[in-house]
Amino acid sequence: MNKHFPIAALMLSASPFVLLGHAYAQEAAAPAQAQQAAETTTDEIQKVVIVSTGSRGAQRTMVDTPVPIDVLSSRELSKTGQATLDKSMQFRVPSFNTVQTPVNDATSLLDPYEIRNMGPSRVLILINGKRKNMSSLVYTQTSPGRGESGADISAIPADAIKRIEVLRDGASAQYGSDAIAGVVNIILKDNAEGGSVTARTGITHESDGGMGGLSLNQGFALGGDRGFFNYTIDASRVNLASRSGVVSAEGEAADFSAPLAEVQAFLSKYPDARNINGSPKTKAVKGLFNTRYELGDGAAIYANGAYVNKKINSFANYRTPYWRPTDYGLLHPAGSAYEGYQPTFDGTLDDYNLTGGLKTELAGWAADFSLTYGGNEQKYDVRNSINRDMGASSPTRFYAGGVKFEHYVFNGDISKQLTDSVNFYAGTELRHEKFAVKAGDKASWDGTGADSFAGNHPTNSFPSSRSNYGVYAGSTWDISKDLLLDGTGRWEKYTDFGSAFVWKLSTRYKANDWITLRASASKGFRAPSLAQIYTQKAQYSFVAGGGIQVSGLVNNVSAAAAALEVPRLKAEKSDNITLGLGLKPNDNTSITVDYYNIKVKDRIVLGKEIGPKCHRDPDLPPAEDELQYQTCFNSSKLDQELAKAGIVSVSFFINAITSRTEGLDFVLSRKNIPLADGKLTLNLSGNYTLKNERDGAVNNPKLVADAGQSVMDATQEALMFTSRPKHKVILGADWDYQKLNLSLNNTVFGPTRFRQAGLDSNLETKFKTKNVTDFALNYQLARNMTLSFNVNNVFNTTPEWEFRALNAEGEKILADAAKRKVQTNLITFNGRYDMVTYDGSHFSQLGRTYAASLNYRF
């Protein structure tokens, strides 16, 4: 074993750790006869010296990698006490961010997540080194992640995971599209004996959001010691939790043109306007398996598969009686007073993937051939609502349609150690993708459609598909025992937009036994997703000062887009640079610092709603107003095209900008500190964003530019660049004493800044830096039984925001209490979303939560 192996043992038990390891395409297989514990412990992770993410070359110990990788054991994930995998990673990987959006509907099925503040679309998810299917959902709300889509990692049960490897570097040359910000590789459990049963429960400090779950993991040997079959079954339920604010009567009266006395009478009875704002009710059933069988002569077959069924029940904004004066007698009991109605959104998600493959030797070459099928299907139902255009003949329950994504992936990879110092590798990937929008029933889309969530119209519902193929080749060269060089090139061809050639070059230099330098440079790409190309719909959105309004989203291949001179989408292109330093002064202390610089050209955005240039002026005499309006209309092609389409405003996807993202990742760890006959581990890790901004002018369609408008505004830029923490730091302490383990983690969420739609242009909203403290206790009740207890967010810290003036005019607004109140109403929907605003915040608004679990191993 390499004499510098202690660097590979940076995985300590209270925080994520950057590992200086070289990775290869597939996981090195441990012998099936080696019995493994049902739960991977920290000591076991320290013995895992082969990581499977980051390069396509030969096996390397983690000592030798030229790229930064975080490794999380299953124990680390379970100790967070979080209900889903994405939330567990939020509190273990500083550069990984996700949060539940305050406005749910379809977004409830999958919360947006990202690495290095670059959006879900630029993170590639792998399962055992194979590409996982994307979600069929593209986010269209004005919240972080707008216009993006990513794979559903919350669909993977935590008890099925052996470890997770997070590559924080561009890797398009190795893996293809999407790997601009990084790669998350989920390694599944492969123990051939034993198993565990885990029962989970939890609740928030408000006695809502109750959670319960039960999971079973078990492994079997196949053919004696020739293979294994490991499976996991998990069922869980999370109840509704709501944090609605007190609603402003003056704001409501102004927005809905309602008599103030009527509004006050309703709000005196229901101060929160009966609104529900928080996390939805969720039920999920998950199943997963992982297997491998040795055929002999160096050949083995393997397979893994997963299926999740998730059902959510969330709520639209409550329709108050002064907002919707009647329900036509359809929703409230006969003889009772009408008090409005609460539309609900019920979503069903099915996510599945299946991989089968063969590893063998061919003429001295290590070869791996595999076929993967995966998909994600979502169906939407609206209940307790009406189609107001249908009046008393409207149904009260609507099938609003859905979306479906599928892919088929063939991978062929070969590698060979040509000399003691040179390894060569090459491979190919063939992929076919399918995307379909499913139409809702007629009542869901006819006219204005179901109130709260209009269904998919048949003209917007159709299948689409594409294929691509790619080839790559590269080599790793140990120039000396201290200097490593790794280079990869890749060419891909897509049937719908053309081809791309990308490359990556990385290196690592060991200055001495405790100083390591590393660097990488690469060019990458991201193909526009089928959902971004073909999604077309009517979108309900909150308009500050105007309540909920309907706008149109047109796809890039539609006649409407062509009329507006919107160009077809093309691939994003990226330039990545990473520089790193690792220090290992002794076996128990390690420090790593990595700088990254990512430039993305032709970045795809879902632009803001583009409305007509011309407007009527009620202050002018009617004849003069008509003449002025018609003169403007006749000279504005944008207005003419919008009028032809019959929509008030329109949005679309477009390659609009170039962005630049720079930052630092750092990790400091100290382990084996003696304390009260036990051992203490201290860890400090963090991510700091130096720059995240648009670089250069916005690329607007000519019609939009001629009308003096832009697809980007302050709201869109804030969502894209400043809506995630500027810095995030995790400070952890972990103490082991006999059968007891205590953990205390502090996660500092840095400031975020928003420019919500409708907010005065002289102001911005800043969410303050906050620290969230989590406590975990694990006690071994018996040799095969462990009790865990978590208090997450011990001090009940919640998001807190403030207005910031951008200039003297902004200072004047903030100095005027009445004007300040108006601005507050604009961004919180009159107080409904007083804690997080309508666009969301940097961490959860639910506050303190309690969780407990009992794990029995057999």
Side-chain angles (χ1 to χ4, degrees):
M1 184 174 292
N2 192 303
K3 66 180 179 179
H4 304 308
F5 168 69
I7 294 181
L10 298 183
M11 169 47 76
L12 306 174
S13 56
S15 182
F17 306 91
V18 179
L19 298 172
L20 302 179
H22 185 79
Y24 75 116
Q26 311 302 333
E27 182 182 12
Q33 67 268 26
Q35 181 177 350
Q36 300 177 6
E39 179 180 332
T40 306
T41 67
T42 299
D43 289 339
E44 287 169 334
I45 280 290
Q46 293 175 351
K47 296 173 185 175
V48 178
V49 295
I50 302 296
V51 291
S52 48
T53 314
S55 174
R56 295 286 192 173
Q59 302 178 25
R60 297 274 178 170
T61 66
M62 290 185 292
V63 171
D64 298 325
T65 184
V67 290
I69 301 174
D70 296 334
V71 176
L72 299 175
S73 69
S74 60
R75 185 186 184 201
E76 284 306 298
L77 299 171
S78 64
K79 283 172 62 176
T80 66
Q82 299 292 329
T84 57
L85 176 57
D86 55 332
K87 300 304 184 294
S88 296
M89 293 180 64
Q90 162 92 336
F91 290 93
R92 286 295 182 268
V93 181
S95 60
F96 185 96
N97 286 293
T98 182
V99 70
Q100 202 155 47
T101 57
V103 184
N104 299 136
D105 54 56
T107 311
S108 303
L109 291 164
L110 175 61
D111 296 323
Y113 59 84
E114 52 196 281
I115 291 177
R116 291 177 168 173
N117 299 337
M118 296 204 65
S121 298
R122 293 164 199 87
V123 179
L124 177 63
I125 307 298
L126 307 175
I127 298 181
N128 279 1
K130 307 298 184 182
R131 178 184 289 264
K132 184 179 178 350
N133 56 278
M134 298 284 286
S135 167
S136 54
L137 172 69
V138 61
Y139 303 107
T140 57
Q141 294 279 9
T142 53
S143 59
R146 174 177 164 85
E148 305 274 356
S149 56
D152 186 1
I153 61 174
S154 69
I156 307 297
D159 282 355
I161 297 171
K162 181 178 181 179
R163 67 180 185 273
I164 293 179
E165 300 167 1
V166 183
L167 169 65
R168 293 177 286 103
D169 196 23
S172 295
Q174 294 98 324
Y175 300 108
S177 178
D178 307 336
I180 288 178
V183 177
V184 176
N185 191 5
I186 300 170
I187 307 300
L188 303 177
K189 285 183 177 178
D190 55 5
N191 52 293
E193 295 181 19
S196 66
V197 177
T198 304
R200 311 182 300 272
T201 187
I203 199 167
T204 78
H205 71 288
E206 294 282 358
S207 298
D208 58 4
M211 181 269 287
L214 185 67
S215 67
L216 166 66
N217 171 262
Q218 188 172 12
F220 297 97
L222 298 177
D225 59 358
R226 302 187 68 171
F228 69 89
F229 182 88
N230 188 281
Y231 73 93
T232 304
I233 300 173
D234 184 285
S236 64
R237 173 174 177 152
V238 180
N239 289 328
L240 172 72
S242 181
R243 300 292 183 269
S244 295
V246 175
V247 174
S248 164
E250 292 77 12
E252 294 284 277
D255 277 359
F256 299 112
S257 301
L260 180 60
E262 179 186 347
V263 175
Q264 289 174 330
F266 182 80
L267 295 181
S268 66
K269 187 175 182 180
Y270 305 108
D272 60 1
R274 304 188 76 174
N275 213 59
I276 295 175
N277 156 33
S279 61
K281 180 179 178 180
T282 304
K283 293 190 292 185
V285 177
K286 307 172 185 180
L288 185 145
F289 78 91
N290 184 32
T291 186
R292 178 186 174 102
Y293 188 79
E294 302 286 345
L295 300 175
D297 296 326
I301 56 174
Y302 62 89
N304 64 76
Y307 171 77
V308 60
N309 175 265
K310 186 190 303 182
K311 299 181 184 296
I312 62 100
N313 173 243
S314 65
F315 297 85
N317 292 295
Y318 190 88
R319 271 47 180 171
T320 60
Y322 50 81
W323 178 3
R324 299 300 194 211
T326 180
D327 64 359
Y328 305 100
L330 298 173
L331 299 174
H332 72 287
S336 65
Y338 172 64
E339 293 188 318
Y341 56 94
Q342 174 76 77
T344 69
F345 178 90
D346 294 340
T348 300
L349 176 148
D350 291 292
D351 190 278
Y352 39 88
N353 59 270
L354 178 65
T355 293
L358 168 69
K359 291 185 179 182
T360 187
E361 280 194 18
L362 295 175
W365 291 77
D368 183 353
F369 303 101
S370 66
L371 182 64
T372 297
Y373 168 70
N376 179 281
E377 183 173 8
Q378 302 183 17
K379 299 176 182 179
Y380 311 134
D381 289 281
V382 178
R383 303 173 191 265
N384 203 52
S385 186
I386 55 177
N387 183 326
R388 303 196 66 79
D389 284 354
M390 298 178 68
S393 62
S394 170
T396 60
R397 175 178 174 177
F398 307 85
Y399 170 61
V403 286
K404 183 177 183 178
F405 174 83
E406 296 174 282
H407 77 178
Y408 303 83
V409 186
F410 170 79
N411 288 105
D413 306 293
I414 59 172
S415 66
K416 185 174 184 178
Q417 196 72 32
L418 300 179
T419 70
D420 289 343
S421 60
V422 177
N423 176 273
F424 177 81
Y425 51 88
T428 185
E429 179 175 280
L430 309 177
R431 190 163 80 248
H432 182 69
E433 297 177 331
K434 299 166 65 176
F435 174 73
V437 178
K438 305 294 183 68
D441 59 46
K442 184 177 181 180
S444 74
W445 52 260
D446 195 23
T448 56
D451 191 14
S452 77
F453 190 91
N456 296 329
H457 194 283
T459 59
N460 298 332
S461 306
F462 49 84
S464 58
S465 66
R466 72 175 175 204
S467 298
N468 75 286
Y469 56 92
V471 292
Y472 73 90
S475 180
T476 60
W477 180 23
D478 284 291
I479 299 173
S480 69
K481 66 181 181 65
D482 297 320
L483 182 60
L484 166 72
L485 192 65
D486 186 356
T488 309
R490 186 184 191 94
W491 180 81
E492 290 221 13
K493 171 71 174 179
Y494 280 76
T495 56
D496 56 350
F497 71 81
S499 61
F501 175 77
V502 294
W503 56 266
K504 182 173 183 177
L505 185 66
S506 56
T507 185
R508 179 234 62 221
Y509 177 69
K510 297 178 184 178
N512 55 40
D513 285 354
W514 63 280
I515 298 177
T516 302
L517 304 175
R518 64 186 175 204
S520 70
S522 64
K523 283 189 175 293
F525 80 105
R526 187 187 75 82
S529 70
L530 290 175
Q532 290 177 320
I533 296 173
Y534 292 104
T535 296
Q536 184 162 292
K537 63 188 295 187
Q539 176 70 29
Y540 278 84
S541 300
F542 170 66
V543 178
I548 304 296
Q549 296 185 7
V550 183
S551 60
L553 192 166
V554 299
N555 70 42
N556 293 74
V557 297
S558 65
L564 293 171
E565 299 179 7
V566 178
R568 298 287 182 96
L569 291 178
K570 56 186 177 181
E572 299 177 347
K573 298 177 181 179
S574 67
D575 297 309
N576 293 56
I577 296 174
T578 300
L579 302 173
L581 168 68
L583 304 176
K584 187 73 175 178
N586 57 57
D587 288 351
N588 294 319
T589 306
S590 60
I591 302 170
T592 63
V593 180
D594 288 279
Y595 164 80
Y596 57 89
N597 186 314
I598 307 170
K599 181 180 182 180
V600 180
K601 294 173 284 188
D602 296 321
R603 185 161 172 171
I604 298 170
V605 304
L606 173 56
K608 79 174 188 70
E609 285 76 19
I610 302 298
K613 174 184 177 181
C614 308
H615 301 279
R616 298 187 181 276
D617 187 347
D619 295 331
L620 292 177
E624 184 179 346
D625 175 46
E626 181 65 23
L627 177 62
Q628 176 178 286
Y629 176 78
Q630 288 299 330
T631 301
C632 176
F633 182 86
N634 291 334
S635 64
S636 174
K637 189 176 179 182
L638 173 65
D639 288 53
Q640 295 167 26
E641 294 300 333
L642 289 176
K644 287 180 185 177
I647 50 180
V648 175
S649 63
V650 65
S651 61
F652 44 82
F653 288 93
I654 183 172
N655 297 95
I657 64 170
T658 295
S659 67
R660 175 79 69 176
T661 304
E662 292 182 56
L664 293 171
D665 292 323
F666 60 89
V667 173
L668 298 85
S669 62
R670 172 72 175 176
K671 65 176 183 176
N672 293 328
I673 303 171
L675 178 65
D677 295 326
K679 290 186 178 181
L680 178 69
T681 295
L682 297 176
N683 299 282
L684 176 66
S685 57
N687 168 263
Y688 188 89
T689 303
L690 299 170
K691 180 185 293 185
N692 195 26
E693 62 189 22
R694 173 166 55 87
D695 185 1
V698 177
N699 178 31
N700 288 301
K702 187 175 184 303
L703 262 64
V704 174
D706 289 346
Q709 299 188 57
S710 176
V711 296
M712 294 291 290
D713 61 5
T715 299
Q716 307 302 318
E717 295 214 15
L719 288 174
M720 185 172 294
F721 298 123
T722 63
S723 65
R724 298 300 198 189
K726 183 173 179 61
H727 57 81
K728 196 172 98 181
V729 178
I730 302 174
L731 174 61
D734 195 276
W735 182 56
D736 282 297
Y737 174 74
Q738 296 181 3
K739 298 180 179 181
L740 177 68
N741 173 270
L742 300 178
S743 296
L744 189 68
N745 264 21
N746 292 277
T747 304
V748 179
F749 292 90
T752 60
R753 293 181 289 119
F754 290 81
R755 300 284 296 278
Q756 290 91 344
L759 182 67
D760 191 280
S761 61
N762 300 298
L763 300 174
E764 73 172 7
T765 306
K766 177 183 177 182
F767 279 85
K768 299 178 181 179
T769 298
K770 291 283 188 173
N771 177 65
V772 176
T773 301
D774 299 329
F775 171 76
L777 178 153
N778 290 268
Y779 186 76
Q780 188 174 342
L781 298 174
R783 186 183 63 85
N784 57 354
M785 184 178 296
T786 301
L787 175 67
S788 300
F789 178 71
N790 295 74
V791 182
N792 288 334
N793 199 344
V794 173
F795 301 108
N796 197 31
T797 304
T798 54
E800 183 180 355
W801 58 269
E802 62 184 1
F803 286 124
R804 288 186 69 249
L806 301 177
N807 49 41
E809 290 301 313
E811 295 285 1
K812 292 179 182 178
I813 294 173
L814 298 184
D816 187 317
K819 292 181 178 179
R820 187 186 186 104
K821 179 63 175 177
V822 168
Q823 296 300 313
T824 299
N825 286 340
L826 286 171
I827 67 171
T828 64
F829 199 173
N830 300 323
R832 287 172 174 81
Y833 303 90
D834 64 334
M835 192 184 302
V836 297
T837 79
Y838 206 79
D839 286 1
S841 62
H842 48 341
F843 64 96
S844 174
Q845 62 178 323
L846 297 183
R848 185 189 306 117
T849 62
Y850 305 93
S853 67
L854 182 65
N855 174 264
Y856 175 76
R857 297 173 296 280
F858 55 87

